[in-house]
Amino acid sequence: MDLLRAVAQPHIKTDLDEVRIGSTVRVHIKIKEGTRERIQVFEGTVIARQHGGISETITVRRLSHGVGVEKVFPLHSPLIAKFETIRKGRVRRAKLYYLRGRKGKRAKVKEDI
């Protein structure tokens, strides 16, 4: 077990404490198209955070033209350029899967002051 931890330790990012459940985040992803590389931005609400260590992931949800879109991002992936926290949400649950069935203002998360 210590060997796995020693191999994964250099790849773990340390500046990720701002990514919390209920927060609205902007994820900058590196996209490779042929020989070119560009940054694509995905903005939404963090509805879940799973696993731990090097394999930790977050699920980000947003509405795009009235359709719910969810993406799962590995936190420690080298393809993730950065996470920006737009606003901090105040929630009382670890998983916000109940937002999937809500529309409009009911799908919002209260802001933490």
Side-chain angles (χ1 to χ4, degrees):
M1 198 63 182
D2 292 332
L3 181 62
L4 288 175
R5 193 172 299 143
V7 169
Q9 191 63 34
H11 302 289
I12 291 181
K13 297 178 182 176
T14 57
D15 57 346
L16 297 174
D17 54 350
E18 72 229 13
V19 180
R20 301 173 78 180
I21 305 295
S23 297
T24 302
V25 294
R26 191 175 290 150
V27 184
H28 297 261
I29 313 146
K30 295 178 188 172
I31 305 289
K32 287 188 178 181
E33 295 173 337
T35 58
R36 295 172 28 152
E37 187 175 293
R38 66 183 176 90
I39 299 286
Q40 186 177 44
V41 179
F42 188 85
E43 184 176 337
T45 305
V46 178
I47 63 169
R49 193 168 178 163
Q50 285 120 357
H51 312 299
I54 194 75
S55 64
E56 190 170 4
T57 61
I58 61 168
T59 304
V60 181
R61 179 179 175 82
R62 69 182 266 183
L63 284 177
S64 178
H65 302 290
V67 178
V69 177
E70 292 183 7
K71 283 191 175 185
V72 179
F73 297 106
L75 285 181
H76 304 289
S77 172
L79 296 179
I80 303 295
K82 67 177 177 175
F83 291 99
E84 283 183 74
T85 302
I86 306 303
R87 56 190 288 261
K88 295 181 182 180
R90 193 178 110 229
V91 293
R92 298 172 68 178
R93 300 278 179 270
K95 306 284 192 265
L96 303 182
Y97 296 140
Y98 64 89
L99 293 178
R100 291 174 176 164
R102 296 190 177 185
K103 296 178 183 174
K105 285 188 177 180
R106 295 189 68 197
K108 283 193 172 185
V109 176
K110 291 181 182 177
E111 189 168 2
D112 192 18
I113 298 174

